[in-house]
Coordinates of all heavy atoms in Angstrom, one line a residue:
M1 N 3.1 -33.6 32.9 CA 2.2 -32.7 32.2 C 3.0 -31.7 31.5 O 4.0 -31.2 32.0 CB 1.2 -32.1 33.1 CG 0.2 -31.2 32.5 SD -1.1 -30.7 33.6 CE -0.8 -29.0 33.6
A2 N 2.6 -31.4 30.3 CA 3.3 -30.4 29.5 C 2.3 -29.4 28.9 O 1.2 -29.7 28.5 CB 4.1 -31.0 28.4
I3 N 2.7 -28.2 28.9 CA 1.9 -27.1 28.3 C 2.6 -26.6 27.1 O 3.8 -26.2 27.1 CB 1.7 -25.9 29.3 CG1 0.9 -26.4 30.5 CG2 0.9 -24.8 28.6 CD1 0.7 -25.4 31.6
R4 N 2.0 -26.7 25.9 CA 2.6 -26.2 24.7 C 1.7 -25.1 24.1 O 0.5 -25.2 24.1 CB 2.7 -27.4 23.7 CG 3.6 -28.5 24.1 CD 3.8 -29.4 23.0 NE 4.8 -30.4 23.4 CZ 4.5 -31.7 23.6 NH1 3.3 -32.2 23.5 NH2 5.5 -32.5 24.0
E5 N 2.4 -24.2 23.6 CA 1.7 -23.1 22.9 C 2.5 -22.7 21.7 O 3.7 -22.6 21.7 CB 1.6 -21.8 23.9 CG 0.9 -20.7 23.2 CD 0.2 -19.9 24.3 OE1 0.2 -20.2 25.4 OE2 -0.2 -18.8 23.9
Q6 N 1.8 -22.4 20.6 CA 2.4 -22.0 19.4 C 2.2 -20.5 19.3 O 1.2 -19.9 19.4 CB 1.7 -22.6 18.2 CG 2.4 -22.3 16.9 CD 1.7 -23.1 15.7 OE1 0.5 -23.5 15.8 NE2 2.4 -23.2 14.6
I7 N 3.4 -19.8 19.2 CA 3.4 -18.3 19.1 C 3.8 -17.9 17.7 O 4.8 -18.4 17.2 CB 4.4 -17.8 20.2 CG1 4.0 -18.2 21.6 CG2 4.5 -16.3 20.0 CD1 4.9 -17.8 22.6
T8 N 3.0 -17.0 17.2 CA 3.3 -16.5 15.8 C 4.1 -15.2 16.0 O 3.6 -14.3 16.7 CB 2.1 -16.2 15.0 OG1 1.4 -17.5 14.9 CG2 2.4 -15.7 13.7
V9 N 5.2 -15.1 15.4 CA 6.1 -13.9 15.4 C 6.2 -13.4 14.0 O 6.6 -14.0 13.1 CB 7.5 -14.2 16.0 CG1 8.3 -13.0 16.0 CG2 7.3 -14.7 17.4
D10 N 5.9 -12.1 13.8 CA 6.0 -11.5 12.5 C 7.5 -11.2 12.3 O 8.1 -10.4 13.1 CB 5.3 -10.2 12.4 CG 3.8 -10.3 12.4 OD1 3.3 -11.4 12.0 OD2 3.0 -9.4 12.7
I11 N 8.1 -11.7 11.3 CA 9.5 -11.5 11.0 C 9.6 -10.4 9.9 O 10.7 -9.8 9.7 CB 10.3 -12.8 10.6 CG1 9.6 -13.5 9.4 CG2 10.4 -13.7 11.8 CD1 10.4 -14.6 8.9
A12 N 8.5 -10.2 9.2 CA 8.5 -9.1 8.3 C 7.0 -8.6 8.1 O 6.1 -9.4 8.1 CB 9.0 -9.5 6.9
T13 N 6.9 -7.4 8.0 CA 5.5 -6.8 7.7 C 5.5 -5.8 6.6 O 6.5 -5.2 6.3 CB 5.0 -6.0 9.0 OG1 5.9 -5.0 9.3 CG2 4.8 -7.0 10.2
V14 N 4.4 -5.8 5.9 CA 4.2 -5.0 4.7 C 3.1 -4.1 4.9 O 2.0 -4.5 5.4 CB 4.0 -5.9 3.5 CG1 3.7 -5.0 2.2 CG2 5.1 -6.8 3.2
A15 N 3.3 -2.8 4.6 CA 2.2 -1.8 4.8 C 2.4 -0.7 3.8 O 3.4 -0.5 3.1 CB 2.3 -1.2 6.2
I16 N 1.3 0.1 3.5 CA 1.4 1.2 2.7 C 1.4 2.5 3.5 O 0.6 2.7 4.5 CB 0.1 1.3 1.8 CG1 0.0 0.0 0.9 CG2 0.1 2.5 0.9 CD1 -1.3 -0.1 0.2
N17 N 2.4 3.4 3.2 CA 2.5 4.6 4.0 C 1.7 5.7 3.4 O 1.0 5.5 2.4 CB 4.0 5.0 4.2 CG 4.7 5.4 3.0 OD1 4.1 5.8 1.9 ND2 6.0 5.2 2.9
D18 N 1.8 6.9 4.1 CA 1.0 8.1 3.6 C 1.4 8.6 2.3 O 0.6 9.4 1.6 CB 1.1 9.2 4.7 CG 0.4 8.8 6.0 OD1 -0.4 7.9 5.9 OD2 0.7 9.5 7.0
E19 N 2.5 8.3 1.8 CA 3.0 8.8 0.4 C 2.7 7.7 -0.6 O 3.3 7.8 -1.7 CB 4.5 9.1 0.5 CG 4.8 10.4 1.1 CD 5.4 10.2 2.5 OE1 6.1 9.2 2.7 OE2 5.3 11.0 3.4
Y20 N 1.8 6.7 -0.3 CA 1.5 5.7 -1.2 C 2.7 4.8 -1.6 O 2.8 4.4 -2.8 CB 0.8 6.2 -2.5 CG -0.4 7.0 -2.1 CD1 -0.5 8.4 -2.2 CD2 -1.6 6.4 -1.6 CE1 -1.6 9.1 -1.8 CE2 -2.7 7.1 -1.3 CZ -2.7 8.5 -1.4 OH -3.8 9.2 -1.0
R21 N 3.6 4.6 -0.7 CA 4.8 3.8 -1.0 C 4.6 2.5 -0.1 O 3.9 2.6 0.9 CB 6.0 4.5 -0.6 CG 6.3 5.7 -1.6 CD 7.5 6.5 -1.4 NE 8.7 5.7 -1.5 CZ 9.3 5.4 -2.6 NH1 8.9 5.8 -3.8 NH2 10.5 4.7 -2.6
V22 N 5.2 1.5 -0.4 CA 5.1 0.2 0.3 C 6.3 0.1 1.2 O 7.5 0.2 0.9 CB 5.2 -1.0 -0.7 CG1 5.1 -2.3 0.1 CG2 4.0 -0.9 -1.7
D23 N 5.9 -0.1 2.5 CA 6.9 -0.2 3.6 C 7.1 -1.7 3.9 O 6.1 -2.4 4.0 CB 6.5 0.5 4.9 CG 6.5 2.0 4.8 OD1 7.3 2.5 4.0 OD2 5.8 2.6 5.6
L24 N 8.4 -2.1 3.9 CA 8.7 -3.5 4.4 C 9.6 -3.3 5.6 O 10.6 -2.7 5.6 CB 9.5 -4.2 3.3 CG 10.2 -5.6 3.7 CD1 9.1 -6.5 4.1 CD2 11.0 -6.1 2.6
V25 N 9.0 -3.8 6.7 CA 9.8 -3.8 8.0 C 10.1 -5.2 8.4 O 9.2 -6.1 8.5 CB 8.9 -3.1 9.1 CG1 9.6 -3.1 10.4 CG2 8.5 -1.7 8.7
Q26 N 11.4 -5.5 8.6 CA 11.9 -6.8 8.9 C 12.4 -6.8 10.4 O 12.9 -5.8 10.9 CB 13.0 -7.2 8.0 CG 12.5 -7.4 6.5 CD 13.7 -7.7 5.6 OE1 14.4 -6.8 5.2 NE2 13.8 -8.9 5.3
L27 N 12.3 -8.0 11.0 CA 12.8 -8.1 12.3 C 14.3 -7.8 12.4 O 14.7 -7.2 13.4 CB 12.5 -9.5 12.8 CG 12.7 -9.8 14.3 CD1 11.8 -9.0 15.1 CD2 12.5 -11.3 14.6
S28 N 15.0 -8.2 11.4 CA 16.5 -7.8 11.4 C 16.8 -7.4 9.9 O 16.1 -7.8 9.0 CB 17.3 -9.1 11.8 OG 17.2 -10.1 10.9
V29 N 17.9 -6.7 9.8 CA 18.2 -6.2 8.4 C 18.5 -7.4 7.5 O 18.0 -7.4 6.4 CB 19.4 -5.2 8.5 CG1 19.8 -4.8 7.1 CG2 19.0 -4.0 9.4
V30 N 19.3 -8.3 8.0 CA 19.7 -9.5 7.2 C 18.8 -10.6 7.6 O 18.9 -11.0 8.8 CB 21.2 -9.8 7.3 CG1 21.5 -11.1 6.5 CG2 22.1 -8.7 6.9
Q31 N 18.0 -11.1 6.7 CA 17.0 -12.1 7.1 C 17.0 -13.1 6.0 O 17.0 -12.8 4.8 CB 15.6 -11.5 7.2 CG 14.6 -12.4 7.7 CD 14.7 -12.7 9.2 OE1 15.0 -11.9 10.0 NE2 14.6 -14.0 9.6
D32 N 17.0 -14.4 6.3 CA 16.9 -15.4 5.3 C 15.5 -16.0 5.5 O 15.0 -16.2 6.5 CB 18.0 -16.4 5.3 CG 18.0 -17.2 6.6 OD1 17.5 -16.8 7.6 OD2 18.5 -18.4 6.6
Y33 N 14.9 -16.4 4.3 CA 13.6 -17.0 4.3 C 13.6 -18.3 3.6 O 14.4 -18.5 2.6 CB 12.6 -16.0 3.5 CG 12.5 -14.6 4.2 CD1 13.1 -13.6 3.6 CD2 11.7 -14.5 5.3 CE1 13.0 -12.2 4.2 CE2 11.6 -13.2 5.9 CZ 12.2 -12.1 5.3 OH 12.2 -10.9 5.9
S34 N 12.7 -19.1 4.0 CA 12.4 -20.4 3.2 C 11.8 -20.0 1.9 O 11.2 -18.9 1.8 CB 11.5 -21.3 4.0 OG 10.2 -20.8 4.1
P35 N 11.9 -20.9 0.9 CA 11.2 -20.5 -0.3 C 9.7 -20.2 -0.2 O 9.2 -19.3 -0.8 CB 11.4 -21.8 -1.2 CG 12.7 -22.4 -0.7 CD 12.7 -22.1 0.8
E36 N 9.0 -20.9 0.7 CA 7.6 -20.7 1.0 C 7.4 -19.3 1.6 O 6.5 -18.5 1.2 CB 7.1 -21.8 1.9 CG 5.6 -21.6 2.2 CD 5.1 -22.7 3.1 OE1 5.4 -23.9 2.8 OE2 4.4 -22.4 4.0
Q37 N 8.3 -19.0 2.5 CA 8.1 -17.6 3.2 C 8.5 -16.5 2.2 O 7.8 -15.5 2.2 CB 9.1 -17.6 4.4 CG 8.7 -18.4 5.5 CD 9.8 -18.4 6.6 OE1 11.0 -18.4 6.3 NE2 9.4 -18.4 7.9
A38 N 9.5 -16.7 1.4 CA 9.9 -15.7 0.3 C 8.7 -15.5 -0.6 O 8.4 -14.3 -1.0 CB 11.1 -16.2 -0.4
R39 N 8.1 -16.6 -1.1 CA 6.9 -16.4 -2.0 C 5.8 -15.7 -1.3 O 5.1 -14.8 -1.9 CB 6.5 -17.8 -2.5 CG 7.3 -18.3 -3.6 CD 6.7 -19.6 -4.1 NE 7.7 -20.3 -4.9 CZ 8.5 -21.3 -4.4 NH1 8.3 -21.7 -3.2 NH2 9.4 -21.9 -5.1
A40 N 5.5 -16.0 -0.1 CA 4.4 -15.4 0.7 C 4.7 -13.9 0.9 O 3.8 -13.0 0.7 CB 4.2 -16.1 2.0
L41 N 6.0 -13.5 1.2 CA 6.3 -12.1 1.3 C 6.2 -11.4 0.0 O 5.8 -10.3 -0.1 CB 7.8 -12.1 1.9 CG 8.3 -10.7 2.2 CD1 7.4 -9.9 3.1 CD2 9.7 -10.8 2.7
A42 N 6.7 -12.1 -1.1 CA 6.6 -11.4 -2.4 C 5.2 -11.2 -2.8 O 4.8 -10.2 -3.4 CB 7.3 -12.3 -3.4
D43 N 4.3 -12.2 -2.5 CA 2.9 -12.0 -2.8 C 2.3 -10.8 -2.0 O 1.5 -10.0 -2.5 CB 2.1 -13.3 -2.4 CG 2.4 -14.4 -3.4 OD1 2.9 -14.1 -4.5 OD2 2.1 -15.6 -3.1
E44 N 2.6 -10.7 -0.7 CA 2.2 -9.5 0.1 C 2.7 -8.2 -0.5 O 2.0 -7.2 -0.5 CB 2.7 -9.7 1.6 CG 1.8 -10.6 2.4 CD 2.0 -10.4 3.9 OE1 2.0 -9.3 4.4 OE2 2.3 -11.4 4.5
L45 N 4.0 -8.2 -0.9 CA 4.5 -7.0 -1.5 C 3.8 -6.6 -2.8 O 3.5 -5.4 -3.0 CB 6.1 -7.2 -1.7 CG 6.9 -7.1 -0.5 CD1 8.3 -7.6 -0.9 CD2 7.0 -5.7 0.0
R46 N 3.5 -7.6 -3.6 CA 2.8 -7.3 -4.8 C 1.4 -6.8 -4.6 O 0.9 -5.8 -5.2 CB 2.7 -8.6 -5.7 CG 3.9 -8.8 -6.7 CD 3.6 -9.8 -7.7 NE 3.5 -11.1 -7.1 CZ 4.6 -11.9 -7.0 NH1 5.8 -11.5 -7.4 NH2 4.5 -13.1 -6.4
Q47 N 0.7 -7.4 -3.6 CA -0.7 -7.0 -3.2 C -0.6 -5.5 -2.7 O -1.5 -4.7 -3.0 CB -1.3 -7.9 -2.2 CG -1.7 -9.2 -2.8 CD -2.1 -10.2 -1.7 OE1 -2.0 -9.9 -0.5 NE2 -2.6 -11.3 -2.1
A48 N 0.4 -5.3 -1.8 CA 0.5 -3.9 -1.3 C 0.8 -2.9 -2.4 O 0.3 -1.7 -2.4 CB 1.6 -3.9 -0.2
A49 N 1.6 -3.3 -3.3 CA 2.0 -2.4 -4.4 C 0.7 -2.1 -5.3 O 0.5 -0.9 -5.7 CB 3.1 -3.0 -5.3
D50 N 0.0 -3.1 -5.5 CA -1.3 -2.9 -6.3 C -2.2 -2.0 -5.6 O -2.8 -1.1 -6.1 CB -2.0 -4.3 -6.6 CG -1.2 -5.1 -7.5 OD1 -0.4 -4.6 -8.3 OD2 -1.5 -6.3 -7.6
L51 N -2.4 -2.2 -4.3 CA -3.3 -1.3 -3.4 C -2.8 0.1 -3.4 O -3.5 1.1 -3.5 CB -3.4 -1.9 -2.0 CG -4.2 -3.2 -1.9 CD1 -4.1 -3.7 -0.4 CD2 -5.6 -2.9 -2.2
A52 N -1.4 0.3 -3.3 CA -0.9 1.6 -3.3 C -1.1 2.3 -4.6 O -1.4 3.5 -4.6 CB 0.6 1.5 -3.0
E53 N -0.9 1.6 -5.7 CA -1.2 2.2 -7.0 C -2.7 2.6 -7.1 O -2.9 3.7 -7.6 CB -0.7 1.3 -8.1 CG 0.7 1.2 -8.3 CD 1.1 0.2 -9.5 OE1 0.3 -0.7 -9.8 OE2 2.1 0.4 -10.0
Q54 N -3.5 1.8 -6.7 CA -5.0 2.1 -6.8 C -5.3 3.3 -5.9 O -6.0 4.1 -6.3 CB -5.8 0.9 -6.5 CG -7.3 1.1 -6.7 CD -7.7 1.4 -8.1 OE1 -7.2 0.7 -9.0 NE2 -8.4 2.5 -8.3
A55 N -4.8 3.3 -4.7 CA -5.1 4.4 -3.8 C -4.5 5.7 -4.4 O -5.2 6.7 -4.3 CB -4.4 4.1 -2.4
L56 N -3.4 5.7 -5.0 CA -2.8 6.9 -5.6 C -3.7 7.4 -6.8 O -4.0 8.6 -6.9 CB -1.4 6.6 -6.1 CG -0.6 7.8 -6.8 CD1 -0.5 8.9 -5.8 CD2 0.7 7.3 -7.2
R57 N -4.1 6.4 -7.6 CA -5.0 6.8 -8.7 C -6.3 7.4 -8.2 O -6.8 8.4 -8.7 CB -5.3 5.6 -9.6 CG -4.2 5.3 -10.6 CD -4.7 4.3 -11.7 NE -5.1 3.0 -11.1 CZ -4.2 1.9 -10.9 NH1 -3.0 2.0 -11.3 NH2 -4.7 0.8 -10.4
D58 N -6.9 6.8 -7.2 CA -8.1 7.3 -6.6 C -7.9 8.7 -6.0 O -8.8 9.6 -6.2 CB -8.6 6.4 -5.5 CG -9.1 5.0 -6.0 OD1 -9.3 4.9 -7.3 OD2 -9.3 4.1 -5.2
D59 N -6.8 8.9 -5.3 CA -6.5 10.2 -4.7 C -6.3 11.3 -5.8 O -6.8 12.4 -5.7 CB -5.2 10.1 -3.9 CG -5.0 11.4 -3.1 OD1 -5.9 11.9 -2.5 OD2 -3.9 11.9 -3.2
E60 N -5.6 10.9 -6.9 CA -5.4 11.8 -8.0 C -6.7 12.2 -8.6 O -6.9 13.4 -9.0 CB -4.4 11.3 -9.0 CG -3.0 11.2 -8.6 CD -2.1 10.5 -9.6 OE1 -2.5 9.8 -10.4 OE2 -0.9 10.7 -9.5
A61 N -7.6 11.2 -8.8 CA -8.9 11.5 -9.4 C -9.7 12.4 -8.5 O -10.4 13.4 -9.0 CB -9.6 10.2 -9.6
E62 N -9.6 12.2 -7.2 CA -10.4 13.0 -6.3 C -9.8 14.5 -6.2 O -10.6 15.4 -6.2 CB -10.3 12.4 -4.8 CG -11.1 13.2 -3.8 CD -11.0 12.6 -2.4 OE1 -10.8 11.4 -2.3 OE2 -11.0 13.4 -1.5
R63 N -8.5 14.6 -6.3 CA -7.9 15.9 -6.3 C -8.3 16.7 -7.5 O -8.6 17.8 -7.6 CB -6.4 15.8 -6.2 CG -5.9 15.4 -4.8 CD -4.4 15.4 -4.8 NE -3.9 14.8 -3.5 CZ -2.8 15.1 -3.0 NH1 -2.0 15.9 -3.6 NH2 -2.4 14.6 -1.9
F64 N -8.3 15.9 -8.7 CA -8.7 16.6 -10.0 C -10.1 17.0 -9.9 O -10.4 18.1 -10.4 CB -8.4 15.6 -11.1 CG -8.8 16.2 -12.4 CD1 -8.0 17.1 -13.1 CD2 -9.9 15.8 -13.1 CE1 -8.3 17.7 -14.3 CE2 -10.3 16.3 -14.3 CZ -9.4 17.3 -14.9
A65 N -10.9 16.2 -9.3 CA -12.3 16.5 -9.3 C -12.6 17.8 -8.4 O -13.3 18.7 -8.7 CB -13.2 15.4 -8.7
R66 N -11.8 17.8 -7.3 CA -11.9 19.0 -6.3 C -11.4 20.2 -7.0 O -11.9 21.3 -6.9 CB -11.2 18.7 -5.0 CG -12.0 17.9 -4.1 CD -11.3 17.8 -2.8 NE -10.0 17.0 -3.0 CZ -9.2 16.7 -2.1 NH1 -9.3 17.1 -0.9 NH2 -8.1 16.0 -2.3
M67 N -10.3 20.1 -7.8 CA -9.7 21.2 -8.5 C -10.7 21.7 -9.5 O -10.9 22.9 -9.7 CB -8.3 20.8 -9.1 CG -7.7 21.9 -9.9 SD -6.2 21.4 -10.7 CE -6.9 20.4 -12.1
R68 N -11.2 20.8 -10.3 CA -12.2 21.1 -11.3 C -13.4 21.8 -10.7 O -14.0 22.8 -11.3 CB -12.6 19.9 -12.1 CG -13.4 20.1 -13.3 CD -13.5 18.8 -14.1 NE -14.5 18.9 -15.1 CZ -14.4 19.4 -16.3 NH1 -13.3 19.8 -16.7 NH2 -15.4 19.4 -17.1
A69 N -13.9 21.3 -9.6 CA -15.1 21.9 -9.0 C -14.8 23.3 -8.4 O -15.7 24.1 -8.4 CB -15.5 21.0 -7.8
A70 N -13.6 23.6 -8.1 CA -13.2 24.9 -7.6 C -13.1 26.0 -8.6 O -13.0 27.2 -8.4 CB -12.0 24.9 -6.7
T71 N -13.0 25.6 -9.9 CA -12.8 26.5 -11.0 C -14.2 27.0 -11.5 O -15.1 26.3 -11.7 CB -12.1 25.8 -12.2 OG1 -10.9 25.2 -11.8 CG2 -11.9 26.7 -13.4
P72 N -14.3 28.3 -11.5 CA -15.6 28.9 -12.0 C -15.8 28.5 -13.4 O -14.9 28.5 -14.3 CB -15.3 30.4 -11.9 CG -14.2 30.6 -11.0 CD -13.3 29.4 -11.1
R73 N -17.1 28.0 -13.7 CA -17.4 27.5 -15.0 C -18.7 28.1 -15.5 O -19.6 28.5 -14.7 CB -17.5 26.0 -15.0 CG -16.2 25.3 -14.6 CD -16.3 23.9 -15.0 NE -14.9 23.3 -14.7 CZ -14.0 23.3 -15.6 NH1 -14.2 23.7 -16.8 NH2 -12.8 22.7 -15.3
T74 N -18.8 28.2 -16.8 CA -20.1 28.6 -17.4 C -21.1 27.5 -17.4 O -20.8 26.3 -17.0 CB -19.9 29.0 -18.9 OG1 -19.5 27.9 -19.6 CG2 -18.8 30.1 -19.0
I75 N -22.3 27.8 -17.7 CA -23.4 26.7 -17.8 C -23.0 25.5 -18.7 O -23.2 24.4 -18.4 CB -24.7 27.3 -18.1 CG1 -25.2 28.3 -17.1 CG2 -25.8 26.2 -18.4 CD1 -26.4 29.0 -17.4
S76 N -22.3 25.8 -19.7 CA -21.8 24.8 -20.7 C -20.7 24.0 -20.2 O -20.2 23.0 -20.8 CB -21.6 25.4 -22.1 OG -20.5 26.2 -22.0
G77 N -20.0 24.4 -19.1 CA -18.9 23.7 -18.5 C -17.6 24.3 -18.8 O -16.6 23.7 -18.4
E78 N -17.5 25.3 -19.6 CA -16.2 26.0 -19.9 C -15.7 26.8 -18.8 O -16.4 27.4 -18.1 CB -16.4 26.9 -21.1 CG -16.8 26.1 -22.4 CD -17.0 27.1 -23.6 OE1 -16.6 28.3 -23.5 OE2 -17.6 26.6 -24.5
A79 N -14.4 26.7 -18.6 CA -13.8 27.4 -17.4 C -13.8 28.9 -17.7 O -13.6 29.3 -18.8 CB -12.3 27.0 -17.3
V80 N -14.1 29.6 -16.7 CA -14.1 31.1 -16.8 C -12.7 31.6 -16.4 O -12.2 31.3 -15.3 CB -15.1 31.8 -15.9 CG1 -15.0 33.3 -15.9 CG2 -16.5 31.3 -16.2
L81 N -12.0 32.3 -17.3 CA -10.7 32.8 -17.1 C -10.7 34.2 -16.5 O -11.4 35.0 -16.7 CB -9.9 32.7 -18.3 CG -9.7 31.3 -18.9 CD1 -8.9 31.4 -20.2 CD2 -9.0 30.4 -18.0

């Protein structure tokens, strides 16, 4: 009788950090990938970069809206200096 189990090990992970930058964490510093693995990793990096850019744009828009809301304005919308 034999017991077989397939174990998945992350050799690289991609995540977005608090500064809207893409983190790549690898199991070892020097790592070689098969062409399929390299493409999958590149796709994950591209997706994470797109998400980071979108999150940064959303955050900037929200900050601008908060800044604009905190500025005293006239009824017509002009800033009171």
